Amino acid sequence: MSAPTVAFSTPIIAVEHVCKSVTDSTGTLDILRDIDFQLASRETVAIVGASGSGKSTLLSIMAGLDTPSSGTVRLDGQDLFALDEDGRASLRAQKMGFVFQSFQLMGNLTALENVMLPLELANRRDARKTAAEMLGHVGLAQRLGHYPKVLSGGEQQRVALARAFVVQPAVLLADEPTGSLDFATGESIMQLMFELNREQGTTLVLVTHDQNIAQRCQRCITIEAGSTKAT
């Protein structure tokens, strides 16, 4: 009798032997060395390491915003670097959300307009209604018409979370999302991020230097001097 066939699901992200080096007049600097791991759908993963260890560079490569010197990244089975820049941008719009330390909101747009933006780019006719509902969900129903400059840091990051999650991405990449916030505000933002992540079943990849935040993830990947130390 033949053995039963076992079906394996495609990882939502596969980082395959990624290396990144830069060369200038002083020589070559290896930023990342043979980084190799896979992430399952709905998994929460922290990427930790000292400043300058290469973790933010790794996140940029995972997003297809930076290119590796060798190796590749597959997003839901698609080789990011087999695509041109437009192709990568299109795939990001379909599959990814982003949250940054510096919020990266459009200063000339209101909170509502910032959250509507990715929906409008996807030609969603319900952009205004859906964005307003998401802002209400993150506690900003009374701040829809406010511009970023009159919002607190915590409110701006809530807008950024709403913008990231409103398109229900398969993957959310977050780079030090509480780095510019005080402890109490940062804690409330992290609680909200994990809550939204559970609701939507998103794969969360979180770059952080905070071990307390990292321990809330299912897995931790440590980058030390450009190499994976442990998972």
Side-chain angles (χ1 to χ4, degrees):
M1 181 182 296
S2 60
T5 301
V6 179
F8 294 95
S9 60
T10 301
I12 189 65
I13 294 182
V15 177
E16 301 178 351
H17 303 290
V18 163
C19 299
K20 177 69 175 183
S21 301
V22 293
T23 302
D24 60 18
S25 60
T26 63
T28 298
L29 174 64
D30 295 324
I31 301 173
L32 296 173
R33 301 182 178 91
D34 196 30
I35 305 296
D36 192 84
F37 60 86
Q38 296 183 349
L39 305 181
S41 180
R42 297 174 175 262
E43 192 172 7
T44 59
V45 181
I47 298 176
V48 301
S51 179
S53 60
K55 57 189 187 296
S56 291
T57 298
L58 174 59
L59 199 73
S60 293
I61 290 173
M62 291 172 68
L65 296 169
D66 194 1
T67 57
S69 301
S70 61
T72 197
V73 175
R74 297 183 190 277
L75 175 58
D76 201 17
Q78 173 67 61
D79 185 344
L80 284 178
F81 300 105
L83 303 171
D84 60 17
E85 289 188 14
D86 289 342
R88 290 197 294 273
S90 177
L91 191 59
R92 277 195 299 272
Q94 296 171 39
K95 301 280 187 179
M96 284 185 168
F98 300 90
V99 179
F100 303 95
Q101 177 178 339
S102 56
F103 317 133
Q104 298 289 337
L105 300 177
M106 302 291 289
N108 62 327
L109 301 180
T110 64
L112 179 61
E113 291 166 342
N114 266 283
V115 180
M116 286 173 60
L117 187 58
L119 297 168
E120 290 177 327
L121 292 173
N123 296 314
R124 289 274 297 271
R125 293 184 177 182
D126 61 345
R128 180 171 293 273
K129 177 176 181 290
T130 302
E133 289 173 349
M134 179 58 76
L135 281 166
H137 192 39
V138 301
L140 294 177
Q142 305 305 314
R143 308 288 270 171
L144 304 186
H146 289 70
Y147 289 91
K149 66 181 179 181
V150 299
L151 299 175
S152 69
E155 287 172 332
Q156 289 186 62
Q157 197 61 300
R158 285 174 181 267
V159 175
L161 283 175
R163 181 182 60 187
F165 278 105
V166 75
V167 293
Q168 298 186 321
V171 177
L172 179 72
L173 303 180
D175 193 357
E176 300 282 8
T178 63
S180 59
L181 303 173
D182 63 72
F183 176 81
T185 303
E187 180 62 21
S188 69
I189 289 296
M190 289 312 305
Q191 289 179 358
L192 179 59
M193 178 180 290
F194 280 105
E195 175 189 326
L196 291 168
N197 195 70
R198 285 191 298 270
E199 288 176 2
Q200 295 196 5
T202 305
T203 299
L204 174 63
V205 184
L206 173 65
V207 164
T208 183
H209 65 276
D210 189 326
Q211 287 295 333
N212 291 325
I213 292 175
Q215 288 171 6
R216 297 171 69 171
C217 295
Q218 295 167 330
R219 183 150 60 112
C220 183
I221 296 172
T222 301
I223 306 296
E224 188 173 283
S227 298
T228 303
K229 182 180 178 183
T231 60

